Amino acid sequence: MEKSIVFELDDCIREMLELKEVDVNSYSPLVLAYIGDCIYDLIIKTMVISGGNKQVHKLHEETSTYVQASAQSLMMRAIQPCLSEEEHAVYRRGRNSRTVSPAKNQSITDYRRATGFEALIGYLYLKKEYHRILELVKTGLQNLSHDNQGDVTGLQP
């Protein structure tokens, strides 16, 4: 009987570039937020382009509504009750970290909560807990769609 093989992008990148494994707990919260921002952006862009071919400017505008700090802050508020103690601790570390750049057109509260959200996404990514990332993002997006009185996410509850 054949074993099914799951292709993981992270493993492929590490193997091809000969990168060493690093303990996820050794990363600072801002480094976790740095990679978490990229992963969340990729998820959102994948979701947005699944809506069909559009002008890049329109894709960018739609993506921006999901990746701005205020949207991430709302999502974080929705997913907080779903977090394990470990996940909540990572979120808190990210939220409480001193950021280098000031928030652009966002409240400091939203910006800090968004940083915690991104740190959590980065942490889960580095731990290869991809299903958990998508579970939390989907929950957060559903909260955004309820706030906007429509299914803006294209995801079914």
Side-chain angles (χ1 to χ4, degrees), residues 44-64:
I44 295 303
K45 286 180 177 177
T46 301
M47 181 189 77
V48 168
I49 65 162
S50 74
N53 201 19
K54 298 177 188 170
Q55 293 175 338
V56 173
H57 179 72
K58 290 184 189 230
L59 294 171
H60 174 72
E61 285 179 346
E62 190 173 345
T63 299
S64 294

Side-chain angles (χ1 to χ4, degrees), residues 85-96:
E85 279 186 43
E86 175 186 2
E87 292 167 341
H88 195 66
V90 171
Y91 160 69
R92 263 194 325 271
R93 282 181 53 223
R95 182 197 63 201
N96 295 337

Side-chain angles (χ1 to χ4, degrees), residues 8-153:
E8 293 181 355
L9 181 60
D10 180 65
D11 289 339
C12 183
I13 292 169
R14 288 186 184 286
E15 183 180 319
M16 294 297 291
L17 299 178
E18 300 175 8
L19 303 176
K20 62 181 180 172
E21 285 288 328
V22 178
D23 178 20
V24 68
N25 295 312
S26 69
Y27 288 110
S28 76
L30 292 179
V31 170
L32 295 175
Y34 176 77
I35 191 68
D37 175 57
C38 296
I39 298 305
Y40 178 68
D41 191 59
L42 178 62
I43 292 167
I44 295 303
K45 286 180 177 177
T46 301
M47 181 189 77
V48 168
I49 65 162
S50 74
N53 201 19
K54 298 177 188 170
Q55 293 175 338
V56 173
H57 179 72
K58 290 184 189 230
L59 294 171
H60 174 72
E61 285 179 346
E62 190 173 345
T63 299
S64 294
T65 64
Y66 297 108
V67 299
Q68 62 185 315
S70 57
Q72 291 178 356
S73 177
L74 280 172
M75 290 175 61
M76 191 63 228
R77 290 174 68 184
I79 67 175
Q80 266 186 292
C82 307
L83 299 181
S84 68
E85 279 186 43
E86 175 186 2
E87 292 167 341
H88 195 66
V90 171
Y91 160 69
R92 263 194 325 271
R93 282 181 53 223
R95 182 197 63 201
N96 295 337
S97 62
R98 291 195 91 150
T99 55
V100 177
S101 60
K104 295 182 208 167
N105 304 319
Q106 303 290 329
S107 76
I108 192 67
T109 302
D110 282 349
Y111 190 74
R112 288 184 145 193
R113 195 176 289 132
T115 302
F117 172 78
E118 290 172 346
L120 175 59
I121 298 299
Y123 178 80
L124 293 171
Y125 171 74
L126 292 172
K127 287 190 72 177
K128 300 180 183 183
E129 294 185 21
Y130 309 124
H131 285 3
R132 182 62 174 155
I133 294 170
L134 294 172
E135 181 180 280
L136 293 174
V137 168
K138 185 174 180 179
T139 298
L141 289 172
Q142 288 169 337
N143 183 64
L144 286 181
S145 70
H146 292 303
D147 285 354
N148 292 328
Q149 303 301 315
D151 186 19
V152 295
T153 66

